[in-house]
């Protein structure tokens, strides 16, 4: 299965050459490392610094070692350029090549290009040479250009393992000044299988995007009709099937220079079935995200909705059929901090080099710790709002907020963070739904066990009421109200001692308690 997974990864990697990429593990500029991070010093003392990467680890992580790119005008071929395994760098190298050729030739112009993927020695030994991506670019007399991409069909068969991929076609349109790009990909069907163990099938799907001059994302939409995964365990089979995945995403720059993203994705249906029964099915999942900047702060909201979720043989109380809505809110985020993080991420993508995943995580964490004082000073909060879970047995509703009060936090030590920690939550649940959650799974002898199970659930509820962990809200509902403030936790009006909150409070005026850079703004 390891080999077929590598093949599937290779295919998906190839088809995203004209699309923006997430954070890459191998590209961080050495001149922008965080300067005050203890994490970096510790890593350097253990592993010899960020410039050393074990070849064996890189081999395991990246089956693709890079690309070769070669242009041809008429019969004149340019020298092949080797590019590191960073599609963003590949696109920028491709653009640079077109600009150079336009200086040497008159318009209109036709350019034929070839891009070859360089597989690791292990992958090449297993599957042989990978197909060539061909690009035919035409530039008219006004300088408007279009590149047509073709990645041919790819077949692999070895023992019980196989991969069949029909390849992909695509287009990339650009202006005379190369300041924006419109891309479209049509990816053909991909199936990979290891007989007797698993199979993966991805239906044809499309990805369209607009990119800026450096190939960073401005807008993207995608549509994947069907994805099916089947896993076999002896005679037993489990199938996970996703249908109707669509989405879009866009980035807009605010007046302050902040890049603020918004978007949504929807899933028509997601289900898992066993040999004879459905284990769960979900219909109508929708997730959207948007934010707004005001007074140098950003508030960002992620909204979710599930039209129907059916889970069979759920551990507490058997199967459940429900719908739900809810919002995850990020409040009071410092604009300058986010801009600095965005700058770091952009540098990570644009620079090429060698770096392990572990070191990448250390660097990102180090940058975050560097910016944490400025972020905390604005009293950030994380909230849940509009939570509403509906079932045939009743509803669960509520909201919650947790945050840090900036003026109370003068260092990143645990004691100081606890001093500024605050939160509150209020949830209400119907009695019948709570009983279902508290009931054990159904037994084979339902008649003799049902009464005992109901009593067990009721006994637990009575105990919660007696201990004031629950409050009777009337109309067949119970509620919970919790408040965290000034290192005190109050549940339903009753203070509950929590060991981690009861550590000695920090002394005022202690020099070493001062938060590093607490008086500096992000980016100073």
């Amino acid at each position: 299965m390891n080999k077929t997974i590598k093949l599937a990864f290779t295919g998906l990697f190839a088809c995203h050459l004209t699309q923006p990429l997430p954070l890459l593990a191998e590209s961080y500029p050495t001149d922008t490392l965080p300067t005050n991070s203890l994490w970096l010093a510790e890593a350097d003392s253990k592993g010899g610094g960020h410039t050393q990467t074990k070849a064996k680890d890189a081999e395991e992580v990246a089956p693709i070692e890079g690309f070769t790119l070669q242009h041809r005008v008429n019969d004149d071929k340019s020298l092949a350029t080797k590019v590191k395994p960073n599609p963003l760098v590949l696109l920028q190298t491709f653009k640079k090549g077109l600009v150079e050729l336009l200086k040497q030739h008159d318009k209109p112009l036709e350019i034929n290009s070839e891009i070859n993927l360089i597989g690791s020695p292990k992958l090449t030994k297993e599957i042989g040479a990978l197909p060539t991506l061909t690009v035919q670019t035409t530039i008219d007399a006004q300088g408007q250009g279009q590149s047509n991409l073709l990645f041919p069909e790819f077949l692999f068969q070895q023992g019980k393992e196989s991969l069949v991929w029909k390849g992909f076609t695509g287009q990339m349109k650009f202006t005379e000044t190369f300041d924006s790009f419109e891309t479209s990909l049509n990816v053909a069907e991909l199936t990979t299988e290891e007989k007797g163990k698993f199979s993966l099938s991805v239906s044809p799907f499309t990805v369209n995007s607009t990119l800026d001059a450096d190939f960073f994302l401005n807008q993207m939409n995608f549509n994947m009709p069907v994805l099916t995964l089947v896993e076999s365990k002896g005679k037993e089979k489990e199938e996970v099937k996703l249908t109707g995945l669509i989405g879009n995403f866009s980035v807009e720059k605010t007046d302050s220079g902040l890049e603020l993203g918004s978007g949504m994705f929807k899933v028509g249906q997601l289900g898992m079935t066993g040999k004879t029964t459905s284990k769960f099915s979900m219909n109508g999942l929708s997730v959207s995200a948007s934010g707004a900047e005001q007074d140098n702060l950003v508030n960002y909201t992620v909204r979710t909705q599930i039209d129907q979720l059916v889970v069979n043989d759920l551990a507490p109380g058997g199967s459940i059929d429900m719908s739900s809505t809810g919002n995850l809110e990020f409040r009071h985020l410092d604009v300058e901090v986010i801009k600095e993080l965005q700058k770091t991420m952009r540098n990570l993508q644009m620079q090429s080099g060698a770096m392990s995943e572990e070191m990448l995580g250390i660097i990102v964490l180090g940058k975050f710790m560097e910016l944490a004082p400025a972020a905390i000073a604005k009293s950030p909060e994380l909230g849940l709002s509009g939570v509403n879970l509906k079932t045939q047995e009743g509803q669960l509703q509520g909201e919650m907020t947790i945050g840090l009060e900036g003026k109370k936090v003068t260092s990143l030590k645990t004691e100081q963070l606890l001093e500024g920690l605050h939160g509150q939550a209020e949830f209400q649940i119907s009695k019948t739904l709570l009983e279902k959650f508290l009931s054990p799974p159904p037994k084979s002898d339902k008649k003799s066990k049902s009464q005992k199970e109901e009593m067990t659930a009721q006994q637990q509820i009575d105990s919660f009421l007696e201990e004031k962990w629950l409050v009777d809200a009337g109309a067949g509902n119970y509620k919970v109200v919790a408040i965290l403030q000034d290192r005190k936790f109050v549940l339903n009006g009753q203070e509950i001692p929590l060991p981690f909150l009861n550590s000695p409070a920090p002394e005022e005026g202690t020099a070493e308690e001062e938060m590093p850079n607490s008086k500096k703004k992000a980016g100073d």
Side-chain angles (χ1 to χ4, degrees):
M1 185 170 72
N2 183 49
K3 193 179 301 180
T4 49
I5 289 176
K6 282 185 178 180
L7 287 167
F9 172 82
T10 301
L12 293 176
F13 188 86
C15 75
H16 281 81
L17 296 183
T18 60
Q19 302 301 324
L21 293 182
L23 191 62
L24 296 175
E26 46 156 3
S27 51
Y28 195 92
T30 58
D31 59 345
T32 57
L33 295 176
T35 57
N36 62 345
S37 175
L38 294 177
W39 302 94
L40 288 177
E42 181 181 358
D44 214 29
S45 65
K46 290 182 178 180
H50 67 277
T51 58
Q52 298 182 9
T53 303
K54 294 182 179 179
K56 182 178 179 180
D57 292 341
E59 171 91 359
E60 292 175 355
V61 173
I64 302 298
E65 291 190 347
F67 310 96
T68 60
L69 169 63
Q70 188 171 42
H71 298 295
R72 185 178 74 250
V73 177
N74 300 322
D75 293 328
D76 298 330
K77 283 188 177 182
S78 64
L79 293 175
T81 302
K82 187 173 181 180
V83 184
K84 291 185 178 293
N86 183 333
L88 184 61
V89 175
L90 175 64
L91 288 169
Q92 293 171 345
T93 304
F94 181 82
K95 169 185 170 181
K96 182 179 179 181
L98 297 186
V99 172
E100 291 298 321
L101 289 171
L102 281 171
K103 294 178 181 178
Q104 302 168 16
H105 300 273
D106 295 330
K107 296 176 287 190
L109 182 64
E110 181 174 311
I111 304 168
N112 292 289
S113 309
E114 291 185 351
I115 299 173
N116 286 287
L117 285 77
I118 306 172
S120 66
K122 185 176 180 180
L123 183 65
T124 303
K125 182 179 178 180
E126 290 175 347
I127 67 174
L130 298 171
T132 297
L133 170 64
T134 59
V135 185
Q136 186 180 57
T137 302
T138 55
I139 302 174
D140 64 21
Q142 287 72 42
Q144 303 293 315
Q146 176 174 306
S147 296
N148 295 315
L149 297 82
L150 173 63
F151 192 81
E153 182 178 26
F154 180 54
L155 306 175
F156 171 81
Q157 175 74 54
Q158 187 178 88
K160 294 183 178 181
E161 299 181 353
S162 65
L163 180 140
V164 179
W165 185 32
K166 302 296 184 180
F168 70 85
T169 60
Q171 282 187 347
M172 181 169 67
K173 298 179 179 180
F174 50 88
T175 62
E176 180 183 10
T177 55
F178 293 93
D179 58 359
S180 66
F181 299 85
E182 294 182 8
T183 71
S184 63
L185 281 179
N186 297 292
V187 184
E189 182 179 3
L190 182 150
T191 58
T192 181
E193 179 183 13
E194 184 174 6
K195 290 184 178 179
K197 290 189 176 181
F198 92 106
S199 66
L200 171 67
S201 176
V202 182
S203 70
F205 64 93
T206 60
V207 183
N208 303 303
S209 65
T210 59
L211 312 173
D212 67 13
D214 295 319
F215 294 96
F216 285 95
L217 181 69
N218 285 331
Q219 186 274 335
M220 179 178 69
N221 63 73
F222 58 88
N223 184 347
M224 179 182 289
V226 183
L227 184 150
T228 306
L229 174 65
V230 179
E231 184 176 8
S232 302
K233 297 179 181 178
K235 295 182 179 180
E236 297 292 327
K237 284 189 177 182
E238 289 186 348
E239 179 183 277
V240 177
K241 188 172 185 178
L242 179 150
T243 60
L245 173 62
I246 60 173
N248 61 68
F249 183 79
S250 62
V251 178
E252 294 186 3
K253 185 169 287 190
T254 66
D255 293 338
S256 69
L258 176 70
E259 294 179 341
L260 200 57
S262 62
M264 56 74 64
F265 76 86
K266 294 182 179 181
V267 174
Q269 186 174 49
L270 175 65
M272 173 185 285
T273 57
K275 185 177 181 180
T276 57
T277 60
S278 171
K279 293 191 173 183
F280 81 84
S281 65
M282 179 174 60
N283 298 303
L285 168 66
S286 176
V287 180
S288 63
S290 62
E293 177 186 344
Q294 184 177 7
D295 299 328
N296 294 320
L297 294 175
V298 170
N299 295 312
Y300 204 83
T301 302
V302 180
R303 305 170 184 83
T304 63
Q305 177 176 324
I306 300 176
D307 294 339
Q308 183 184 38
L309 175 64
V310 179
V311 182
N312 295 314
D313 300 326
L314 190 64
S319 62
I320 188 169
D321 186 339
M322 70 176 198
S323 62
S324 70
T325 58
N327 305 319
L328 177 63
E329 300 179 358
F330 302 87
R331 309 173 188 140
H332 311 156
L333 305 181
D334 184 80
V335 168
E336 296 302 319
V337 168
I338 298 176
K339 285 166 63 176
E340 279 295 305
L341 287 173
Q342 289 179 344
K343 179 181 177 181
T344 298
M345 296 303 185
R346 183 174 282 251
N347 284 336
L348 280 165
Q349 288 186 287
M350 290 191 67
Q351 303 295 324
S352 62
M355 182 174 295
S356 67
E357 291 284 351
E358 180 182 12
M359 184 54 65
L360 173 68
I362 290 172
I363 290 173
V364 173
L365 180 59
K367 188 65 176 179
F368 180 80
M369 295 297 290
E370 178 185 330
L371 297 171
I376 293 173
K378 297 300 175 68
S379 300
E381 292 182 346
L382 177 65
L384 287 175
S385 66
V387 176
N388 190 349
L389 188 154
K390 296 181 180 180
T391 73
Q392 294 178 345
E393 291 79 12
Q395 297 186 65
L396 169 65
Q397 298 175 300
E399 58 185 24
M400 180 181 73
T401 296
I402 189 166
L404 287 169
E405 191 172 344
K407 65 182 181 180
K408 292 184 177 181
V409 180
T410 57
S411 86
L412 297 181
K413 291 187 176 182
T414 303
E415 293 82 1
Q416 280 288 341
L417 293 174
L418 290 175
E419 194 71 15
L421 186 64
H422 68 89
Q424 62 183 47
E426 182 172 350
F427 287 89
Q428 180 169 292
I429 186 172
S430 62
K431 177 181 178 180
T432 50
L433 181 58
L434 181 59
E435 287 175 343
K436 184 176 183 67
F437 284 153
L438 294 176
S439 298
K443 307 295 182 180
S444 57
D445 187 0
K446 295 182 181 180
K447 184 176 181 180
S448 62
K449 296 289 185 179
S450 59
Q451 184 177 0
K452 181 179 179 180
E453 289 170 0
E454 184 178 347
M455 291 176 60
T456 301
Q458 186 60 53
Q459 287 175 346
Q460 293 181 70
I461 293 174
D462 291 341
S463 176
F464 294 155
L465 291 170
E466 184 177 351
E467 297 292 335
K468 292 188 178 180
W469 291 4
L470 281 178
V471 174
D472 193 334
N477 295 304
Y478 300 107
K479 70 176 182 179
V480 175
V481 179
I483 299 174
L484 174 63
Q485 187 75 39
D486 298 326
R487 298 167 71 98
K488 295 180 180 180
F489 180 67
V490 178
L491 181 65
N492 298 323
Q494 176 178 258
E495 185 173 345
I496 306 294
L498 295 178
F500 73 91
L501 291 176
N502 294 329
S503 58
E507 297 182 7
E508 295 183 1
T510 306
E512 61 267 25
E513 292 294 313
E514 185 176 354
M515 184 139 56
N517 298 334
S518 59
K519 297 180 181 180
K520 295 182 180 181
K521 295 182 180 180
D524 287 352

